[in-house]
Amino acid sequence: MMNTRRLRRKAASALALAAVGVTAAACSSSASSSSTTSTSTSASASTSAQAGSGAIKKGLLVYFIPKDTQNPYEVIADNGGEKALAALGGKVVVSSGTVDTAAAQIPSIQAAIQAHANAIVIAGNDPSALCPSLNQASKAGIKIVSFDSDVTCGTSPNHLFINQANTEQIGESEVSLLASEIGGKGQIAILSAAASATNQNAWIVYMKQELTKYPNMKLVSTVYGNDDPATSLQVLQGLLSAYPNLRGIISPTTVGISAAAQYLDTHKNLLSHLTLTGLGLPSLMRKYVEDGTVAKFELWNPGNLGYLAGYAAASLASGVASLTPGSTFTAGTLGSYTVLAPTPGVGPSVVLGPPTVFDKANINDFNF
């Protein structure tokens, strides 16, 4: 299952995890209580960093705007971006709010404009509410890259989406994982992140399509924990109360699945009839896999996602890559990537790669 790219992810994952503490320590409150910022530079970056067929400009300033600054998944992804820009002789500013709302991200977009940033890399908390501010940034000459959760701004501004994996594949694999564990029968529910999250909603669309292959599996409810542990726990308890015969839960969010696993770990009696799967960080889920609370879940390396987004932003800002389908650029140790043509609902994009399924056999091989 581990192809060359996954091996590279494995090698990079320890560095990404180690950097989490550095970023957390570096974050501080800004003038606005809803925004935190950290920076990263490299004193020893090579003077001849290359991507594609041209040279990356030195001294690039890239703003990374995650869904929020406290989500461990987002922290690892941002660390990947910092690693990329440090290798290229540039600088990353990580700035966002502490809640998953578009309103909390808009001040960071404005800060990037004021700072004359070369690029913005953003994980959208809303598919369209951010577009006016991003359009303003684009008109100021800032290249726009979305990652993890896309923004659907049409052609204004043009932007590149760094997709963690094929959207359809994620939705299908989540359902097939659960179906294999519960025999394709019973009531199931989805514990998602924010109701407005573009990536979550896109995956859920394909989950519902995949469910048509399993006529004896019925989706009875989709609830939203807003990527907050307490809220995720609250809506989980509501699910269990409303549907005592629930057989399975899919939580395609690292915060949601870990909150659900923690609850099930202390309520083992539920495991006699209830199965949990979804998208999670191996570092957060290892305990629950080893003790049998969760059998299987999946994810990609978020550090590699941020790393790829950083190289894409630098390549666009340097004119090395473009939004033209077929345009290529090199993303450091991850290799070469090609810009894909737009599809319905998605503009020009690049796909990191397929997710990895984690279980007892391989969970200890991954440290992110």
Side-chain angles (χ1 to χ4, degrees):
M1 178 171 63
M2 282 186 154
N3 56 23
T4 302
R5 183 168 294 162
R6 288 203 184 98
L7 290 172
R8 289 175 180 145
R9 291 179 191 163
K10 179 181 173 185
S13 63
L15 291 176
L17 182 61
V20 171
V22 176
T23 300
C27 290
S28 60
S29 296
S30 67
S32 168
S33 62
S34 66
S35 179
T36 57
T37 303
S38 68
T39 62
S40 174
T41 59
S42 173
S44 59
S46 168
T47 57
S48 59
Q50 299 287 322
S53 59
I56 297 294
K57 295 178 180 177
K58 290 296 178 181
L60 292 174
L61 174 61
V62 179
Y63 265 63
F64 265 66
I65 306 177
K67 289 181 177 179
D68 68 72
T69 57
Q70 298 179 340
N71 184 322
Y73 171 99
E74 300 284 331
V75 171
I76 295 172
D78 295 335
N79 287 340
E82 292 180 336
K83 179 181 176 183
L85 266 295
L88 295 170
K91 173 177 156 182
V92 160
V93 171
V94 178
S95 179
S96 191
T98 56
V99 293
D100 286 19
T101 65
Q105 292 180 306
I106 289 174
S108 296
I109 299 174
Q110 296 300 321
I113 295 171
Q114 293 299 317
H116 304 288
N118 300 102
I120 288 173
V121 178
I122 188 165
N125 279 328
D126 187 280
S128 58
L130 296 166
C131 294
S133 295
L134 290 175
N135 187 44
Q136 183 182 355
S138 180
K139 288 180 178 179
I142 300 174
K143 299 298 182 181
I144 308 298
V145 173
S146 62
F147 78 142
D148 184 48
S149 185
D150 197 12
V151 290
T152 53
C153 299
T155 59
S156 182
N158 286 320
H159 70 281
L160 181 67
F161 175 42
I162 309 300
N163 198 353
Q164 47 269 69
N166 179 278
T167 302
E168 181 176 359
Q169 183 183 36
I170 295 172
E172 291 177 348
S173 62
E174 289 285 272
V175 171
S176 63
L177 267 181
L178 182 59
S180 68
E181 294 189 63
I182 66 173
K185 299 178 181 180
Q187 296 179 339
I188 70 167
I190 297 171
L191 169 54
S192 186
S196 60
T198 312
N199 57 344
Q200 299 280 314
N201 291 334
W203 297 333
I204 291 170
V205 166
Y206 286 111
M207 288 182 202
K208 291 178 178 179
Q209 289 185 14
E210 183 69 9
L211 277 171
T212 62
K213 300 177 183 178
Y214 302 93
N216 295 320
M217 282 175 62
K218 181 181 179 182
L219 178 62
V220 294
S221 183
T222 300
V223 296
Y224 301 93
N226 297 324
D227 268 347
D228 174 73
T231 305
S232 297
L233 175 59
Q234 181 181 10
V235 297
L236 170 67
Q237 291 172 322
L239 269 180
L240 298 177
S241 176
Y243 302 98
N245 296 320
L246 199 64
R247 292 290 314 284
I249 296 174
I250 299 172
S251 187
T253 159
T254 59
V255 175
I257 192 174
S258 60
Q262 183 177 11
Y263 181 81
L264 294 179
D265 193 48
T266 57
H267 295 76
K268 296 286 193 183
N269 60 302
L270 293 172
L271 298 178
S272 63
H273 66 273
L274 183 62
T275 295
L276 172 66
T277 191
L279 302 175
L281 289 167
S283 59
L284 296 180
M285 296 297 294
R286 182 173 292 108
K287 173 182 183 295
Y288 307 116
V289 171
E290 291 179 341
D291 71 11
T293 301
V294 176
K296 296 181 180 181
F297 68 98
E298 60 184 352
L299 197 68
W300 44 90
N301 186 333
N304 285 348
L305 180 66
Y307 183 84
L308 174 56
Y311 267 90
S315 297
L316 289 172
S318 301
V320 172
S322 74
L323 299 179
T324 304
S327 173
T328 63
F329 64 94
T330 298
T333 59
L334 295 179
S336 180
Y337 284 82
T338 300
V339 176
L340 304 177
T343 58
V346 180
S349 66
V350 167
V351 177
L352 174 63
T356 297
V357 176
F358 306 101
D359 56 22
K360 281 187 178 180
N362 69 356
I363 189 71
N364 288 314
D365 294 335
F366 300 89
N367 298 312
F368 58 85

